[in-house]
Amino acid sequence: MMEAGVVRVSSNEIGAQMGLTASQIRQDFNCFGGFGQQGYGYNVPKLRDQLAEILGMHQTNTAVIVGAGHFAHALLHNFKFGNCGVQLLAAFDILPTVVGTSIAGVPIRHIDTLEDYIQKHEVDIVILTLPSNKAEEMAKRAANAGVRGIWNLTNEALPPMPNGVLTESMHLSDSLLTLNYYLSDASESENTEEN
Amino acid sequence: MMEAGVVRVSSNEIGAQMGLTASQIRQDFNCFGGFGQQGYGYNVPKLRDQLAEILGMHQTNTAVIVGAGHFAHALLHNFKFGNCGVQLLAAFDILPTVVGTSIAGVPIRHIDTLEDYIQKHEVDIVILTLPSNKAEEMAKRAANAGVRGIWNLTNEALPPMPNGVLTESMHLSDSLLTLNYYLSDASESENTEEN
DNA sequence: TAGATTGTTAATCGATTAACAATC
DNA sequence: TAGATTGTTAATCGATTAACAATC
């Protein structure tokens, strides 16, 4: 909306755009504070700024990526880490042919140096883009080395991590299976809403 | 569990592994039918098979991918479409340098031929891995050409599609921001009761 | 049979929606 | 002031948890 130059919006309009009720918009915002003004609605730039603050888009967490394969390439070339409050420092891999090279300006280091690097640079987040069967092992190594969070992009579920390290997983297969389910006969008796 | 050779499991054990109550496991399964046996629990291979059936892992939906960039490379090289009940037929792009080549055996065609291809091959699903600002346009073109579902992997939200075409979106930025939020101060006061 | 564990109903809890007074 | 729309409380709804009879 900001890009479109919209300055003012009501909970009703936001709800309509998102497929939610106006009540829900107001209730949810008010979990974090009163961002609006009676009789007016919400000021778009101000609202965006406050939400950005809550989501931590302004802070900077440092991150490294483990597994410098195709997925890592895709992220390093296209994903706007800066917009998510994340600064990407380095990538790690085991292949001698890629170690020492760089992707989109990010250097690739050998996986054996992971722990040292995490400690020396106080890395906050480890991003997992490696083969699923190595995900748990690497997550634990990173957690023990002192990261605060793990962004798991493999299709493997991770067990709880030591030291209260947080895990956020994103399973492509879950998402595709969800679509598949709604396209299948199995869901036919359900309603016809889409998200 | 199947890979580990486990044959029998109780709702209690499943719940413990997933961080849910046994009640929830049983309630949820029973939305789709009674898969267990009193006094025994659930037979792992049988349960897996029944869940696979419900999720449509056995059927085959055809799919094409729009945007043959790094993300498409990552998917075509590593993602097990077959395990999700999806058969990937082709990729589409606008760059003359990639049109006519192929990735992991999947041919890349020119985006102008998208509608024709969808109709001729009765494509079920379109996968969007293109720049965000083109996502909506391409989604609509695909929907109008007759696909049944759209798997949106861009960071752009899609409006409701024509013809009741379903949309399943996967936003990497949402996921990373979620992690960021839990790592930030903003979530620190979360569990504290106040006024 | 005795023990275990489901399927299912009832109780509890939390989240969404509706309503409206406050107020810009 | 009059109209609009929030913040917030109360009502409703749905989802989770607890309990237990059925039964393997």
Side-chain angles (χ1 to χ4, degrees), chain B residues 67-116:
Chain B
H70 291 290
F71 202 169
H73 270 260
L75 287 177
L76 292 171
H77 282 294
N78 300 321
F79 192 77
K80 303 280 188 301
F81 284 100
N83 289 354
C84 292
V86 170
Q87 187 192 3
L88 204 92
L89 300 180
F92 291 83
D93 207 295
I94 199 168
L95 271 182
T97 48
V98 299
V99 171
T101 65
S102 69
I103 307 172
V106 173
I108 307 178
R109 306 172 59 91
H110 194 278
I111 191 66
D112 288 351
T113 67
L114 180 67
E115 282 89 345
D116 272 357

Side-chain angles (χ1 to χ4, degrees), chain A residues 32 53-54 59 148 164 166, chain B residues 178-194:
Chain A
F32 297 95
E53 193 58 43
I54 292 165
Q59 74 190 338
R148 301 169 57 221
L166 295 171
Chain B
T178 301
L179 178 60
N180 223 24
Y181 169 74
Y182 286 118
L183 291 177
S184 75
D185 306 334
S187 71
E188 219 102 292
S189 56
E190 189 70 2
N191 304 332
T192 351
E193 285 287 288
E194 91 292 79

Side-chain angles (χ1 to χ4, degrees), chain A residues 32 53-57 59 61 70-71 73-75 77-79 81 83-86 124-125 148-151 153 155 166-173 175-184 186 193-195, chain B residues 32 53-57 59 61 70-71 73-75 77-79 81 83-86 124-125 148-151 153 155 160 165-173 175-186:
Chain A
F32 297 95
E53 193 58 43
I54 292 165
L55 291 169
M57 289 165 86
Q59 74 190 338
N61 282 316
H70 290 289
F71 202 168
H73 270 260
L75 287 176
H77 282 293
N78 300 320
F79 192 76
F81 285 100
N83 289 353
C84 291
V86 170
D124 297 302
I125 296 171
R148 301 169 57 221
I150 292 166
W151 193 27
L153 300 177
N155 285 322
L166 295 171
T167 302
E168 168 72 19
S169 292
M170 179 108 181
H171 302 304
L172 287 165
S173 51
S175 177
L176 184 52
L177 282 171
T178 302
L179 178 60
N180 223 24
Y181 168 73
Y182 285 118
L183 291 178
S184 75
E193 286 290 278
E194 81 288 314
N195 57 348
Chain B
F32 297 96
E53 192 58 43
I54 292 165
L55 291 169
M57 288 165 87
Q59 74 189 338
N61 282 318
H70 291 290
F71 202 169
H73 270 260
L75 287 177
H77 282 294
N78 300 321
F79 192 77
F81 284 100
N83 289 354
C84 292
V86 170
D124 296 303
I125 296 171
R148 301 168 58 220
I150 292 166
W151 193 27
L153 300 178
N155 285 322
V165 171
L166 294 171
T167 302
E168 168 72 19
S169 291
M170 180 108 179
H171 302 303
L172 286 164
S173 51
S175 177
L176 184 53
L177 282 171
T178 301
L179 178 60
N180 223 24
Y181 169 74
Y182 286 118
L183 291 177
S184 75
D185 306 334

